[in-house]
Amino acid sequence: MSQVARSRVFKYHTATVAVIGGLALMAIAGVVQGTSFGFSQLTLLNLMTSFLLGAGITLFVFRILQQRFDSQRKDLQDEFNQRIGELRKTEDRFYEYAESSSDWFWETDSEN
């Protein structure tokens, strides 16, 4: 997946997760404030504040997790590439050995 396509997917997922986090905190705040002070005391400002706070916290945590996952993915990719390089070196050495030993085997006769 290209960097641009991944960036677009990340933005949509980030926005969705942030909205869900905001709605969750807004619902919790609405229930807590409603049961504590009465539901008639709830205002749009109270609900929007809790929504924005929840969305902000969720976005912050989501970004931190995404950075950690990207870092781990990069580390794993680097290790994979290193191991592939080592494997290729070993494979080359094996082919060189196999090629030289087959030449040696055919060069010997029954007296050697």
Side-chain angles (χ1 to χ4, degrees), residues 15 20 30-31 34 38 40 53 55 59 68 80 97 101 103-104:
I20 290 171
V31 169
S40 62
L53 184 63
L59 183 63
R68 286 190 180 181
F80 176 77
Y97 177 76
S101 66
D103 292 342
W104 173 79

Side-chain angles (χ1 to χ4, degrees), residues 81-98:
N81 290 338
Q82 178 185 0
R83 300 242 174 139
I84 289 293
E86 292 171 0
L87 182 62
R88 286 192 178 125
K89 287 179 186 176
T90 303
E91 185 179 20
D92 290 342
R93 281 194 341 235
F94 171 76
Y95 281 125
E96 288 173 8
Y97 177 76

Side-chain angles (χ1 to χ4, degrees), residues 21-42:
L23 289 174
L25 190 61
M26 185 176 74
I28 293 169
V31 169
V32 169
Q33 288 178 357
T35 55
S36 299
F37 305 112
F39 286 98
S40 62
Q41 299 294 325
L42 285 177

